[in-house]
């Protein structure tokens, strides 16, 4: 039976995503009512600039007092799309305390304080949903914590930042350098004026923390995620990758140790074989590759950012939360029962591609090979080229720990015949 009294929604933030959420709530009102079982009503919109014209939003709904809005007591769901840590954290907590469930797109806050927010939500018997926090329109969080709840997930690896994928794809397809590709991304609106959060991996690291926590039923904070940006990736790196039948992507990788006793979460550039599904993800798109015991290999692909895609994920959560309100239930909360330790980056085992500048003379290769052997790092292939007394030596290893590789590189730098380490790149997806 359809309920006639509307469910009231408070919207915190009315930028690119918030304005699209408001638009869809209005234009799809009848469909949302049918899907939920009751009408939904936009009861208030908290903004910083009240004088800005917002098409489709009645001026009387707009307020600068977000705290008063979430404290009203008649709000059923608060949608938070303002981002950042504060005031978002305080507003979400206040919303729970005053009877509202919350839908958020705030990856930074959830990566830092997700456990605490889940605790407050549980204390007040309310929902905290955040599908839009990780990969825009791509359904990912709900499949991980609901559809695959009966499975054991071993690895989640993906491209979770559209800006960096656009830049790296441009470098790969056109031979452009990093700065040239970044300038193009900025001109087209894919990169912010200050792209640091994207290109240095902060954005992807927050998403990796969220994904790892859900996948492994373990609390993983942003500080637990190893992070390495992509600003040092060069056209020469792409040339080397192509010689190996690979390309380069900035990857978020969350994986369970082989013995199942710990997990790791990391973000860094990596070479991946052209045969891997992630290698074909072009432009500003996102894709996440999941490996589990029973389901096997799954890939989720689509637009990972932008007003409409992100709003789609927000509205999906809104429908789910509203349905829960009507039935008097709540959806899945935090699942951290496994409480597995998060291992440091030094314990991570993978393959490596190392490019060295060396003297072009007899015995250099033997010296380099000896250093690798002394540190327990097995060499897969070696390629050497050079002239006029200088040479380039490219070494691809078998799987080795990050700590062993770090020790190897430190020892290589001490050799008189090694002029420098041109680049070190991890090789994933094999």
């Amino acid at each position: 039976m359809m309920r006639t009294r509307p469910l009231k929604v408070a919207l915190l933030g009315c930028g690119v995503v918030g304005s699209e959420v408001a638009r869809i709530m209005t234009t799809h009102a009848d469909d949302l009512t049918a899907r939920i079982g009751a009408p939904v009503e936009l009861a208030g919109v908290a903004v910083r600039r009240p004088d800005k014209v917002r098409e489709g939003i009645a001026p009387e709904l707009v307020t600068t007092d977000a705290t008063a809005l979430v404290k009203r007591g008649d709000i059923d769901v608060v949608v938070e799309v303002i981002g950042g840590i504060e005031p978002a954290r305080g507003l979400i907590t206040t919303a729970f305390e005053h009877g509202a469930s919350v839908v958020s797109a705030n990856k930074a806050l959830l990566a830092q304080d997700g456990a605490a927010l889940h605790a407050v939500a549980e204390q007040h018997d309310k929902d905290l949903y955040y599908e839009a926090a990780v990969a825009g329109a791509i359904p990912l969080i709900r499949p991980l914590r609901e559809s695959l709840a009966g499975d054991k997930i071993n690895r989640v690896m993906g491209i979770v930042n559209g800006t960096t994928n656009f830049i790296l794809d441009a470098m790969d397809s056109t031979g452009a350098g990093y700065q040239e590709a970044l300038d193009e991304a900025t001109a087209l609106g894919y990169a912010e004026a200050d792209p640091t959060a994207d290109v240095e991996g902060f954005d992807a690291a927050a998403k990796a923390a969220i994904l790892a926590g859900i996948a492994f039923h373990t609390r993983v904070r942003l500080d637990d995620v190893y992070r390495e940006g992509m600003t040092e990736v060069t056209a020469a790196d792409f040339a080397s990758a192509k010689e190996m039948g690979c390309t380069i992507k900035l990857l978020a990788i969350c994986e369970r140790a082989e013995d199942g006793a710990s997990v790791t979460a990391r973000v860094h550039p990596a070479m991946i074989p052209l045969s891997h599904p992630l290698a074909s993800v072009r432009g500003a798109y996102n894709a996440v590759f999941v490996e589990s015991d029973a389901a096997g290999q799954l890939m989720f692909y689509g637009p990972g950012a932008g007003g409409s895609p992100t709003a789609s994920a927000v509205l999906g959560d809104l429908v789910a939360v509203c349905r829960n309100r009507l039935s008097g239930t709540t959806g899945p909360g935090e699942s951290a029962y496994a409480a597995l330790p998060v291992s440091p980056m030094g314990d991570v085992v993978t393959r490596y591609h190392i490019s060295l500048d060396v003297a072009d003379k007899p015995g250099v290769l033997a010296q380099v090979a000896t250093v690798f052997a002394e540190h327990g790092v097995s060499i897969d292939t070696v390629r050497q080229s050079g002239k006029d007394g200088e040479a380039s030596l490219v070494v691809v290893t078998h799987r080795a720990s990050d700590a062993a590789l770090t020790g190897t590189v430190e020892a290589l730098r001490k050799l008189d015949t090694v002029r420098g380490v041109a680049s070190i790149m991890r090789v994933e997806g094999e």
Side-chain angles (χ1 to χ4, degrees), residues 158-170:
I159 299 162
V160 294
N161 183 279
T163 299
T164 55
N165 199 57
F166 180 91
I167 293 169
L168 292 173
D169 184 39

Side-chain angles (χ1 to χ4, degrees), residues 131 134-135 138-149 151-160 207 210-212 214-217 251-256 276-278 286-301 429:
E131 184 68 65
V134 172
I138 305 172
L140 183 58
I141 289 177
R142 192 172 288 114
L144 287 178
R145 72 177 185 176
E146 296 182 34
S147 303
L148 296 174
D151 206 344
K152 178 184 177 184
I153 297 173
N154 297 310
R155 197 175 204 224
V156 179
M157 179 172 76
I159 299 162
V160 294
K207 296 170 181 177
I210 295 170
L211 291 174
I214 296 171
F216 306 132
H217 304 279
L251 298 178
I253 304 173
C254 314
E255 57 189 352
R256 190 188 300 268
H276 194 282
L278 291 176
N286 284 190
V288 177
F289 198 73
V290 178
E291 301 175 35
S292 69
D293 275 0
Q297 297 179 333
L298 307 169
M299 192 166 93
F300 302 83
Y301 169 85

Side-chain angles (χ1 to χ4, degrees), residues 47-379:
V47 300
R48 286 183 296 179
R49 294 178 292 170
D51 298 331
K52 181 179 177 181
V53 177
R54 293 174 173 84
E55 186 177 349
I57 298 177
E60 60 269 22
L61 294 180
V62 177
T63 179
T64 57
D65 194 343
T67 301
L69 177 60
V70 299
K71 280 184 173 182
R72 275 177 37 173
D74 64 336
I75 300 296
D76 293 287
V77 184
V78 169
V79 174
E80 182 271 310
V81 288
I82 56 178
I85 305 301
E86 291 292 358
R89 176 170 48 195
L91 291 170
I92 290 174
T93 299
T94 301
F96 290 139
E97 293 170 348
H98 287 78
S101 289
V102 173
V103 172
S104 176
N106 196 330
K107 54 188 171 287
L109 176 59
L110 289 159
Q112 178 172 307
D113 289 319
L117 293 176
H118 272 295
V120 179
E122 183 178 359
Q123 177 186 350
H124 295 280
D125 198 26
K126 296 296 178 287
D127 277 322
L128 173 61
Y129 276 48
Y130 42 90
E131 184 68 65
V134 172
I138 305 172
L140 183 58
I141 289 177
R142 192 172 288 114
L144 287 178
R145 72 177 185 176
E146 296 182 34
S147 303
L148 296 174
D151 206 344
K152 178 184 177 184
I153 297 173
N154 297 310
R155 197 175 204 224
V156 179
M157 179 172 76
I159 299 162
V160 294
N161 183 279
T163 299
T164 55
N165 199 57
F166 180 91
I167 293 169
L168 292 173
D169 184 39
M171 293 176 70
D172 186 27
S173 59
T174 69
Y178 167 76
Q179 189 60 51
E180 183 182 353
L182 173 59
D183 291 343
E184 180 185 6
T186 304
L188 292 173
Y190 291 118
E192 301 286 347
D194 180 1
T196 302
D198 295 323
V199 301
E200 294 294 353
F202 290 101
D203 175 85
K207 296 170 181 177
I210 295 170
L211 291 174
I214 296 171
F216 306 132
H217 304 279
T218 291
R219 287 179 178 170
V220 180
R221 289 171 50 91
L222 182 57
D223 291 345
D224 295 322
V225 181
Y226 172 83
R227 178 193 55 79
E228 184 180 318
M230 48 162 276
T231 57
E232 301 301 318
V233 176
T234 66
D237 291 326
F238 273 100
S240 293
K242 287 181 178 180
E243 291 180 358
M244 290 179 58
C246 293
T247 187
I248 299 172
K249 299 291 186 182
L250 184 74
L251 298 178
I253 304 173
C254 314
E255 57 189 352
R256 190 188 300 268
E258 290 186 5
D259 62 4
S262 63
V263 299
T264 57
R266 50 196 166 102
V267 169
H268 53 72
M271 293 182 180
I272 57 172
L274 294 175
S275 58
H276 194 282
L278 291 176
S280 61
V281 178
R282 310 301 297 270
Y285 275 72
N286 284 190
V288 177
F289 198 73
V290 178
E291 301 175 35
S292 69
D293 275 0
Q297 297 179 333
L298 307 169
M299 192 166 93
F300 302 83
Y301 169 85
S308 293
T310 306
S312 171
V314 170
L315 266 295
D317 278 350
L318 179 62
V319 169
V321 170
C322 285
R323 287 171 175 169
N324 290 343
R325 296 283 288 195
L326 288 180
S327 63
T329 62
T330 56
E334 183 191 30
S335 176
Y337 73 90
L340 296 171
V342 182
S343 296
M345 187 61 187
D347 292 348
V348 170
V349 176
T350 189
R351 297 179 66 205
Y352 290 87
H353 175 283
I354 305 102
S355 180
L356 304 172
D357 295 326
V358 300
D360 186 15
K361 63 182 184 180
V364 173
L365 179 55
Q367 286 184 325
V368 169
T370 297
V371 170
F372 276 87
E374 289 174 346
H375 288 81
V377 179
S378 175
I379 294 176

Side-chain angles (χ1 to χ4, degrees), residues 409-423:
V409 172
E410 289 176 353
L412 288 171
R413 294 183 192 275
K414 296 177 182 178
L415 293 178
D416 292 338
T417 51
V418 174
R419 309 290 193 234
V421 179
S423 70

